[in-house]
Amino acid sequence: MLLSLEIRDMLIIDRLAFEPGPGLNALTGETGAGKSILLDSLGFVLGWRGRADMVRSGAAEGEVVAVFDLPAGHPARAVLEAAGIAADDELILRRVNRADGRKSAWVNDRRASGEVLRALSERLVELHGQQDDRGLLNVRNHRAMLDEYGGLGDRRAQVRAAWQRRRAAEEALAEAREALAEIAAEEDFLRHAVAELEALAPRPGEEEELDARRRLMRGAGKVLEDVSRAFQLIGPGEGAEGLAGEALRWLEGAAAEAGEALAPALESLGRALDALAEAGSEVEAALEALRFDPRALEETEERLFALRAAARKHAVAPDDLPGLAETLRARLEALDSGESDIAALAAEAEQAARAYGAAAEALSAARRQAATRLDRAMQAELAPLKMERALFRTRISEAAPGPEGMDEVTFVVAPNPGAPPGPLNKIASGGELSRFLLALKVCLTGARPGLTLIFDEIDRGVGGATADAVGRRLEALAEGGQVLVVTHSPQVAARAAHHWRVSKQVRGGETLSSLHVLDAAERVDEIARMLSGDTVTEAARAAARALLAG
């Protein structure tokens, strides 16, 4: 419930305080007095999109503060929790509009975005006017309204989830078919390339190994000649080993005469001979290693050139050939198993489509049941509004499958017997439309407690007994809640529990709007004015008293 609304420097309002009470609150006044500005200001603090130039001329900024009662369990508390804002028994919204167009908002003294304000407003206030095309008159909203009336949120969520699973399965199937088509287009290449690479059987690091071996064999001729010459120089016979052996024999022969004088030389020469013999054996082994079959060089070069040719053909490094072979082999296997994979995906898509169809059919059945209940409720509401012979129907037709199901919902009416039902805003006259919308609002909002309902000239185009019926229905609707009605109908104003008059005055050359709560005597005069015009007669006052006694 709206506890208070304070407006400062907005349009033609300099200072205004509004404290509506529970039940039906009526706002009356002459056209242009500022009633709509009051509602625009309330919409501004609630984050509704409206006119941008709301700051009063000459003011630096305008400000609106709204205070709402927020009992435990109120739906707005969930919005506050999601936004990380502490909830209290009162909810204070404040929004500032600066002259340069910048806007700032606070919720319980915490900075908040317009998105948070709008989310809160959906749980706090519902505004409805005769030409409210963003609400009841907008056919695109009728399906959601019916679902809310029927409590079908869970069923609709199930349909939406089934639709998402169906779409995901269909997309997976389409992607698999596309991928298979791409692979199939290169089947001949894949089979040839895989066979070729499997026959080649490349190994990681093989190219470097072959290249090193090839260089070694190509340079082996010169190396072999040098090593052979070295072996001759250090080997037996005329080599170092042979000469040292001959020297050792001469020294051994002389040692008999020389005694110990040659002992050290003999010992050193013996060690030299041993070293020469060992070196000779090692050089001889190296010679054996350096000797190779010329065919080995040819085979090595053929393998190396084959690896390099394959790498050039596939535009990869030689060391990447094993990985490429594995990749191509996997693509070929995917081609070979693709049909079975697609069959499995097609089965999943078909199953998801059936599941979606079943969920959508269940939602459609539930919508038809809710539509029947809504039609009955509307007929019951129209009777007290002097439209007992009018017809309201919730028309459900088939629509393309989607996340909201397979139904299109339209509210249609026939104000007079025998006339074909048609859209609300095209069939009904102004007064009839007012009553249809009031009845529909009553039916649709009955299950949404905690809302402050605002009706902006919902009674336009009706008068007399019909206006009295509208006033009585608004009074009944406000029981246990809060309804604000902007009205020019004295019959409606007379049913209000709280009556406010909006007026404008010229002060210091500036037109300003003001708001005044009326006492009993003032209510008589205001309703008399609404009955008779500018000149209030005693007869008009008597008629006003009769309406108030009502």
Side-chain angles (χ1 to χ4, degrees):
M1 185 173 73
L2 177 63
L3 299 179
S4 67
L5 181 69
E6 296 181 9
I7 305 171
R8 177 177 60 84
D9 292 328
M10 300 290 279
L11 294 175
I12 62 171
I13 297 175
D14 58 348
R15 296 288 188 279
L16 185 149
F18 177 43
E19 295 182 357
L24 181 60
N25 295 260
L27 292 164
T28 63
E30 295 181 356
T31 300
K35 300 183 295 298
S36 296
I37 295 174
L38 189 147
L39 296 185
D40 288 342
S41 298
L42 177 59
F44 171 74
V45 78
L46 290 170
W48 298 348
R49 292 179 174 87
R51 55 189 298 178
D53 54 337
M54 292 192 66
V55 181
R56 186 169 64 90
S57 177
E61 64 181 27
E63 180 185 62
V64 182
V65 178
V67 181
F68 290 85
D69 179 38
L70 205 66
H74 195 288
R77 288 180 175 265
V79 178
L80 294 175
E81 182 180 355
I85 300 174
D88 206 342
D89 293 338
E90 288 186 351
L91 174 63
I92 302 174
L93 308 180
R94 182 167 71 95
R95 198 175 188 204
V96 173
N97 189 8
R98 295 173 180 81
D100 60 6
R102 291 181 297 124
K103 299 175 178 65
S104 302
W106 292 263
V107 175
N108 287 351
D109 288 331
R110 286 279 304 277
R111 288 294 293 265
S113 64
E115 182 180 355
V116 171
L117 291 180
R118 287 186 287 275
L120 286 170
S121 76
E122 292 176 0
R123 278 85 174 165
L124 295 170
V125 170
E126 185 158 337
L127 172 65
H128 180 63
Q130 182 174 293
Q131 300 303 324
D132 180 20
D133 60 0
R134 71 181 182 86
L136 301 180
L137 297 182
N138 190 341
V139 174
R140 289 178 296 179
N141 294 337
H142 290 180
R143 182 172 59 193
M145 291 176 183
L146 178 64
D147 289 348
E148 184 174 355
Y149 173 80
L152 306 181
D154 290 343
R155 286 187 180 274
R156 191 170 57 190
Q158 292 170 5
V159 170
R160 188 177 295 113
W163 172 259
Q164 291 171 349
R165 288 192 292 270
R166 171 182 165 176
R167 288 292 302 275
E170 290 174 346
E171 288 173 2
L173 176 60
E175 289 174 1
R177 283 173 171 164
E178 183 178 354
L180 183 62
E182 291 178 359
I183 297 174
E186 56 177 357
E187 179 179 3
D188 292 343
F189 163 74
L190 285 174
R191 295 195 183 280
H192 176 75
V194 168
E196 185 179 59
L197 289 172
E198 286 181 346
L200 184 61
R203 294 182 291 103
E206 184 179 8
E207 191 255 357
E208 183 178 359
E209 175 186 330
L210 291 172
D211 186 58
R213 188 188 309 167
R214 173 173 174 261
R215 286 197 303 271
L216 179 63
M217 285 189 287
R218 287 173 65 91
K222 179 65 168 61
V223 172
L224 185 63
E225 180 181 343
D226 293 343
V227 174
S228 298
R229 180 62 180 160
F231 180 70
Q232 293 174 0
L233 291 175
I234 63 174
E238 295 182 359
E241 183 182 354
L243 293 174
E246 185 176 351
L248 180 61
R249 287 192 295 272
W250 281 102
L251 290 175
E252 285 176 343
E257 301 295 332
E260 292 299 321
L262 293 176
L266 289 170
E267 184 177 351
S268 298
L269 190 57
R271 290 196 301 271
L273 276 170
D274 292 338
L276 286 170
E278 183 177 356
S281 297
E282 292 172 350
V283 172
E284 187 175 16
L287 282 171
E288 289 300 321
L290 289 171
R291 293 189 178 95
F292 64 91
D293 186 346
R295 287 176 300 177
L297 174 59
E298 182 179 350
E299 292 172 357
T300 299
E301 288 182 334
E302 287 178 356
R303 176 68 177 175
L304 179 61
F305 296 158
L307 286 175
R308 289 176 174 174
R312 285 194 302 272
K313 178 178 179 180
H314 295 286
V316 297
D319 280 350
D320 293 335
L321 286 173
L324 174 65
E326 187 62 32
T327 299
L328 296 179
R329 191 178 299 112
R331 288 176 64 82
L332 191 58
E333 290 173 356
L335 176 63
D336 293 338
S337 63
E339 291 300 332
S340 60
D341 291 343
I342 284 179
L345 289 172
E348 292 178 8
E350 178 62 26
Q351 182 179 1
R354 286 196 300 269
Y356 168 78
E361 285 292 344
L363 178 58
S364 296
R367 280 174 173 157
R368 289 190 290 270
Q369 295 174 0
T372 301
R373 296 197 305 272
L374 178 59
D375 293 347
R376 285 199 300 263
M378 278 293 292
Q379 293 305 130
E381 285 294 332
L382 290 172
L385 296 174
K386 308 296 183 181
M387 297 187 72
E388 58 276 354
R389 303 182 66 187
L391 179 69
F392 174 92
R393 287 291 179 267
T394 303
R395 180 183 292 165
I396 300 179
S397 56
E398 186 175 347
E404 305 298 324
M406 302 184 296
D407 307 307
E408 184 175 319
V409 177
T410 307
F411 299 146
V412 296
V413 299
N416 302 303
L424 274 171
N425 57 343
K426 294 184 178 179
I427 297 298
S429 66
E432 292 166 339
L433 179 60
S434 297
R435 287 175 282 165
F436 272 120
L437 295 181
L438 175 58
L440 189 54
K441 177 68 68 174
V442 170
C443 293
L444 294 178
T445 59
R448 296 180 65 191
L451 276 178
T452 292
L453 301 179
I454 302 175
F455 293 91
D456 186 9
E457 300 188 21
I458 189 66
D459 50 6
R460 182 186 301 169
V462 298
T466 301
D468 183 64
V470 171
R472 291 180 184 276
R473 193 62 195 91
L474 288 171
E475 182 183 21
L477 178 61
E479 291 180 0
Q482 185 183 58
V483 174
L484 309 182
V485 57
V486 175
T487 181
H488 288 283
S489 170
Q491 292 88 349
V492 172
R495 311 309 308 174
H498 312 279
H499 191 165
W500 305 76
R501 183 178 64 228
V502 182
S503 58
K504 63 181 179 181
Q505 304 84 30
V506 178
R507 297 197 299 266
E510 184 179 10
T511 301
L512 298 174
S513 180
S514 63
L515 181 67
H516 177 66
V517 61
L518 303 180
D519 59 23
E522 290 169 327
R523 285 194 76 188
V524 171
D525 286 343
E526 175 66 7
I527 292 176
R529 181 198 64 79
M530 298 171 74
L531 285 166
S532 63
D534 292 338
T535 303
V536 177
T537 65
E538 283 303 319
R541 288 191 177 93
R545 292 188 187 96
L547 284 177
L548 288 167

